[in-house]
């Protein structure tokens, strides 16, 4: 199984870390960096499974900035 890497945007707010995964139109958050990363991984996984179940193609990951 091929693994893809989707870029995420982290925005630090006063009381949480907002996470955006633009390629999959995902928005989530966590109270710590570790929790924010875990939430993003879970959301990407669930979205990917849902897309596959609906016979949709997974989006091609955007180019990552260096």
């Amino acid at each position: 199984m091929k693994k893809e890497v989707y870029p995420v945007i982290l925005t630090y707010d006063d009381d949480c870390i907002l996470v955006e995964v633009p390629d999959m139109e995902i928005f989530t958050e966590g109270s710590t960096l570790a929790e924010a990363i875990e939430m993003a991984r879970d959301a990407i996984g669930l979205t990917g499974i849902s897309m596959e179940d609906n016979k949709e193609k997974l989006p091609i990951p955007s180019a990552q900035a260096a």
Side-chain angles (χ1 to χ4, degrees):
M1 175 186 282
K2 182 178 176 184
K3 289 191 176 189
E4 299 288 358
V5 178
Y6 291 95
V8 300
I9 299 169
L10 301 175
T11 304
Y12 290 82
D13 198 14
D14 290 337
D15 57 346
C16 68
I17 300 169
L18 305 172
V19 182
E20 178 182 0
V21 185
D23 294 329
M24 298 184 101
E25 299 179 359
I26 292 171
F27 298 91
T28 188
E29 64 182 54
S31 57
T32 65
L33 180 57
E35 186 178 279
I37 291 169
E38 181 180 352
M39 296 295 287
R41 284 183 179 168
D42 287 348
I44 290 168
L46 291 172
T47 300
I49 289 169
S50 178
M51 292 177 79
E52 287 177 343
D53 287 349
N54 292 322
K55 307 290 189 246
E56 300 174 41
K57 286 191 170 199
L58 295 176
I60 296 171
S62 299
Q64 299 177 30

